[in-house]
Amino acid sequence: MFESAVESAKDNGEDLTTTKAKKWLERAKNSLAGRDPTETALPAKESDEDRARFGQDAPGHLSVAGQRHNNDFEDIRKIQILPTFQEIICDRDPYLPVLDPSKLHLSGMDGLIDRHFRLYREEVTGKIRESLRSEVKSKRSNTGLRTNTYYNLEFEGLSCDELQGLVITVSIDQPKVVQGCSQKARKDWWESNKRLQREALVCILDPSGHAIFCTVAEIRDHQNSGKEGSGSLQGGPKKKIWQDLERHPRRAIVTLALAEEQDTSTIADYFSRYKSFNNMRLFEFPKVLLQAFRHTLTTLQSMISRKDVPFAEYLAPLQPTADVQDISPPLYAQQQNFQFNLDCLVSEGPKLILSPNESFDTNSLVRGSTLDEKQAEALAHALSRSLSLCQGPPGSGKSFSSVALLQVLLENKSTADLGPILAITYTNHALDQTLEKCLDSGIREIVRIGSGSKSERLQGFNLRDASKQIVRTRVEKHESHARSQTLAVNANHVNEVIMTLGMTDGINSLESYLENNYPVYFNQFWSKDQEGYQGFSPNPDPVIPKWLLGTSKGRPQNRTIPQLLEAECSVWGMSSSERKDLHAFWMNACQMSHRNRVLSVVKGYRKSKDALDAVRQEVDKRCLEQADIIGVTTSGLARNVGLLKRLPIKAILVEEAGEILESHTLTALLPSVEHAILIGDHLQLKPSVDNYELTSESYRGKPYSLDMSLFERLVSPPEGIPGTRLPFSTLQTQRRMHPSISALIRNTVYPNLKDDPIVSLYPEVAGMKRRLFWLDHSWPEVGSESDDQLSMSKSNDFEIAYVVCLVAHLLSQGVYLPQDIAVLTPYLGQVFKFRNALAAVSEIALDDRDVEALENAGMVDDNFSELPRKAPEKTSLLQCLKVASVDNFQGEEAKVVIVSLVRSNNANRCGFLKTSNRINVLLSRAKHGMYIVGNSRTSAGVPMWAKVIRTLKDQGNFGPALELSCTRHPDTPILASKPDDFKRHSPEGGCSLPCARRLKCGHICIQKCHPDLRHNNVKCLEPCKRTKPGCDHVCRKLCGDKCDLQCGVPVKDIDLELPCGHVVKSLLCWQSQAPKSVECTVMVVRKVPECGHPVKVECGVDVNDEDYRCTATCGARLKCGHACKQSCASCHSWGVVDHAQCECNA
């Protein structure tokens, strides 16, 4: 009845009430059509028939063999993000859901979310689990994850920091390599090796059965807790030391913050001595940042119970069909008479509007705007579909189209009641690029979430900076102050309670416990009993030890603890064994009491911390509500999902969607979203997955295909697997590559790709006969042949030497700046060597992602920090040669690209570049020219490479020697097959013939042929023949040197009488031309008026000048009677006499 009422209602066109009612009704129908998400998260046990259908073991209790460990559940909300100890030591394989939705234990959207949670968790924590398992079981295995191990861990203190929460201070053995070093050497070693840096993930491993994950905390003395030494296992107060890695030669101290709240009770057990610890170790996982993946996983966990995930009917239909689905317009665009105003894109002509449910003439948009036909079509489709997909081949204007879409959405923001638009990318670099393009288009109301920006232009647009401009209300100020105080009080209270943990074995602690829990027994020990007998006083000798040493006078009894407690019998009538048992029971209960109290107050602290965060988030919320565009990375989105859910965000735009893991894209689907636009290219780079066994490239990983993005799955579903195919738009005109270069990807990947006429006008590459060439060689690679996954070791020294010479040749032409040239290679090992080799030719800029990858691989040396690195300064990438791995250069371009393929082996293993996606990216970065250096025989086994090689051969752009070009002698053949050929045949960037051109001075250039840049800077070595005014003397320098301003030739026999009467026999030429400037140099004796000393000076020196300083010995009598031996000028300065102390010290 409600449904019919909604359907019959008429929208008045002024609001979206009816439309929203339809939206919630549709969600309710979808929920009723399948199982409720909250029920599907806890499925019933499978039958044998179901297990056979799944073809794999199920999770948790659904497994045939039962639950694998204590972190194996069918409901992902119960799974701890980081591995538990039982999970670490478990030998059974984890449950990993496959791509086929029919083989999942959950259906619909819940099954999709469950699958991506488990696969992504395996991707980010699987190697950690395997590394720790090999340590626990003493089985060394190469997991590919760098791990640092520290031995003999001891707990030093437990405390509550206002900002970090519960933190643990531990001490560890210094690594053996620094135990015999000086303190400075230890400090340098810790810093240079970047050990135990802030937020590094570590694990405290207790062989008895605990794995406690933490992050390295950075504690500042921002609070005066007054509880120094709180939580010390030694029980007494001591000076708090948060971190000290270098001072002690044997031990290092570091403070850690718990990564999992569940481990709070375990830590409390250690500090209450309820658990003992021996042989504990600390494992560090360098560059594994918990914050990079934790929030994505926790967001997925929260989504499993939601019934309001947008587009569930498209992303995970209960009954998928092979047909392309129709996509309805965004909900906000379904209101009556809604139209998109496109005037912001049209420079002239009639008003242009787009109705989502009506056909649209894209030609009118093409005529009035700068969009091409396919861009206009893609924009119309994106506005008309609630879930829009746009594929953009390299150089086709994906970013340009994205900005046009954002302009239209902002133009209609008020009409559609859109709220802020969320722009999402995977990397900080891509986000900077997107937001800078928004600035270029005139969009100013931008807020960027996250601190990873390296763009100077975006400074001030960061949420942290923008929120400071928001004036807080009086209520917000009051609440913030009040909750800050509450937090400080609660943190101090936690520290006070923690102090009791180390005192549970004391008499006072037990006395207090008995008084509160067993008053009858308390009175027997410390007061008169009912019969009037006086108990032992606590002031003399301790009562409990005496009681434990005593025994009853009657027959010994062996009553149980419950019997003793229930009977409340006399403590003095108990047998010796009863006394010991009861005392042990009380001590254990006392420890548990303190432990539980700590857990309780820590829980209170966390609530107050959440309350303070909520108040501060209000200011951020108001700041974001005022923005037009909110930019955020996928990890930043997951980290701030609680804040973003509170915003009226209806439209999101996901850039490079083909490169983003589906799990990350799913977290962007906020409940309020009504319009999602995904722009990317599934034929370029896939999402980055470190675990090769989970990728589609691996035979074992193909059933999982974690590297398949949501964009690819919706555009091109895998064959043989039930899935949904959605309509998508494709851009077809590229404006980056010269047609000869674009032909390589047109013949292999994009048959419909067109070239804009402008790319045909690119100039030829200076110094080269051809703009495109494959230099074929057979020089073998360096590195292991056993495992392609250890790819960081791969390099090729021949290619390094050849490319360095080629770069130098190109730069010598004087046409290209270093930033116009990019050197690309698939392997980090080659990037590392290029960095060192090219540093002598030009400054080099490594992409931040490559720098991080090199550091993760341990491939940095002590001189690394001295080399140029990409940084926020303007000169970082603008004045440096670009050197990058293929995977980190997507979205970038350069005028000239040089490719080093590296692989050259007898087995013809092509390695990383066997996939068409990477080859596509590699071949589509160059604008004017591209030069590939590699072994074609190694690559030819890959179908796409075979087509590329065939195309190059047909064009005549393939061979064993690269043809260079001399601008002065274009007909001179110059072939370079080896690095030495550049020096032999083109030593100066031209050819080996003499230059023979005249220099600016008029002399003939005697150097080898070279480009104009070098010619104009040649230093002429002929004698200079220039003269100076006033004389006929020829300059005595070389022609290329700068002449002296005055002639320095000696002139003799001039007999010039000076005003002083002395006669000068010879002068320099310039002095003879100006005799009045000549000063007499004859030595004479004169008396200094001020001190009376006679001094020998040049005749031209005026001793009467107030600036003259007497050089004679002072000679004045000192108090001791000796003469002062200093110079007169030293003792008499500015009218003050100051003699130095005599050497006699009298």
Side-chain angles (χ1 to χ4, degrees), residues 31-43:
S31 182
L32 292 173
R35 293 175 291 177
D36 186 86
T38 57
E39 295 174 358
T40 56
L42 297 169

Side-chain angles (χ1 to χ4, degrees), residues 1042-1089:
K1042 187 177 180 180
C1043 295
D1044 293 328
L1045 295 176
Q1046 298 170 321
C1047 181
V1049 176
V1051 180
K1052 298 181 180 180
D1053 301 326
I1054 60 173
D1055 295 329
L1056 174 65
E1057 183 177 354
L1058 300 177
C1060 61
H1062 294 118
V1063 177
V1064 179
K1065 296 293 184 180
S1066 63
L1067 292 170
L1068 297 178
C1069 179
W1070 70 269
Q1071 290 177 317
S1072 67
Q1073 298 177 43
K1076 292 183 178 181
S1077 64
V1078 177
E1079 292 186 357
C1080 183
T1081 59
V1082 177
M1083 300 302 293
V1084 296
V1085 176
R1086 290 203 175 102
K1087 185 176 182 180
V1088 181

Side-chain angles (χ1 to χ4, degrees), residues 794-852:
K794 301 294 187 296
S795 62
N796 192 303
D797 292 339
F798 169 81
E799 293 185 11
I800 290 170
Y802 193 94
V803 169
V804 168
C805 292
L806 180 54
V807 168
H809 176 78
L810 291 170
L811 291 175
S812 70
Q813 305 305 310
V815 176
Y816 304 108
L817 297 173
Q819 66 265 26
D820 294 329
I821 302 173
V823 177
L824 303 183
T825 182
Y827 293 100
L828 283 174
Q830 194 80 337
V831 170
F832 177 74
K833 289 188 175 182
F834 269 134
R835 186 202 71 190
N836 295 326
L838 285 167
V841 179
S842 168
E843 286 191 0
I844 58 173
L846 294 185
D847 187 279
D848 281 341
R849 294 162 289 183
D850 283 324
V851 170
E852 183 177 352

Side-chain angles (χ1 to χ4, degrees), residues 118-357:
R118 295 179 189 274
L119 291 180
Y120 185 52
R121 180 177 182 270
E122 178 66 16
E123 155 73 1
V124 295
T125 69
K127 290 183 178 180
I128 296 174
R129 181 190 66 238
E130 296 303 318
S131 294
L132 291 174
R133 179 184 300 165
S134 66
E135 292 289 343
V136 172
K137 299 192 174 184
S138 301
K139 295 180 179 179
R140 296 291 178 180
S141 61
N142 189 359
T143 62
L145 182 67
R146 285 182 59 205
T147 306
N148 299 325
T149 307
Y150 308 96
Y151 297 94
N152 296 323
L153 178 142
E154 293 181 4
F155 292 110
E156 299 292 339
L158 178 67
S159 58
C160 183
D161 178 73
E162 281 186 35
L163 300 181
Q164 298 272 359
L166 203 64
V167 293
I168 316 145
T169 302
V170 302
S171 64
I172 51 178
D173 282 350
Q174 287 278 10
K176 290 184 178 179
V177 68
V178 296
Q179 285 185 3
C181 300
S182 65
Q183 181 175 334
K184 184 181 184 303
R186 284 193 297 272
K187 181 179 180 180
D188 293 342
W189 183 87
W190 281 102
E191 292 179 352
S192 63
N193 286 276
K194 299 183 178 180
R195 297 284 195 102
L196 296 178
Q197 292 192 318
R198 184 172 63 92
E199 293 189 356
L201 182 66
V202 297
C203 178
I204 300 173
L205 190 65
D206 183 349
S208 65
H210 294 285
I212 304 170
F213 284 93
C214 306
T215 56
V216 176
E218 183 179 58
I219 308 296
R220 297 184 177 92
D221 291 329
H222 55 83
Q223 60 178 19
N224 183 18
S225 63
K227 304 293 181 279
E228 290 187 349
S230 58
S232 168
L233 284 179
Q234 284 69 38
K238 63 178 181 179
K239 176 72 175 177
K240 175 67 71 179
I241 298 176
W242 298 111
Q243 180 158 322
D244 185 355
L245 298 176
E246 67 273 354
R247 190 176 305 173
H248 197 280
R250 295 292 178 182
R251 301 287 286 174
I253 295 175
V254 64
T255 297
L256 312 172
L258 285 176
E260 298 280 3
E261 290 185 6
Q262 297 94 316
D263 289 327
T264 304
S265 58
T266 305
I267 288 296
D269 288 342
Y270 284 120
F271 280 88
S272 65
R273 300 176 184 268
Y274 188 67
K275 289 184 184 296
S276 59
F277 54 90
N278 293 295
N279 300 320
M280 296 182 73
R281 287 170 287 174
L282 183 70
F283 293 92
E284 178 189 12
F285 306 98
K287 298 300 179 180
V288 176
L289 293 179
L290 179 61
Q291 299 302 320
F293 59 82
R294 166 195 253 163
H295 298 288
T296 299
L297 290 170
T298 54
T299 301
L300 289 172
Q301 285 177 313
S302 69
M303 293 175 67
I304 198 75
S305 61
R306 275 173 41 188
K307 303 176 184 178
D308 56 356
V309 179
F311 318 117
E313 64 274 25
Y314 303 130
L315 304 182
L318 296 174
Q319 296 179 345
T321 61
D323 299 330
V324 177
Q325 288 199 25
D326 292 330
I327 307 294
S328 61
L331 181 62
Y332 66 80
Q334 294 179 23
Q335 59 179 309
Q336 188 177 10
N337 299 325
F338 180 86
Q339 296 174 326
F340 284 104
N341 183 351
L342 305 184
D343 286 350
C344 60
L345 301 180
V346 180
S347 57
E348 57 184 18
K351 183 177 181 179
L352 195 59
I353 59 174
L354 182 150
S355 299
N357 291 311

Side-chain angles (χ1 to χ4, degrees), residues 391-394 396-402 655-656 679-681 684 731:
Q391 181 199 6
S396 59
K398 293 189 292 294
S399 298
F400 179 78
S401 301
S402 297
E655 284 264 28
E656 295 293 358
I679 300 180
D681 186 6
Q684 294 190 58
L731 308 181

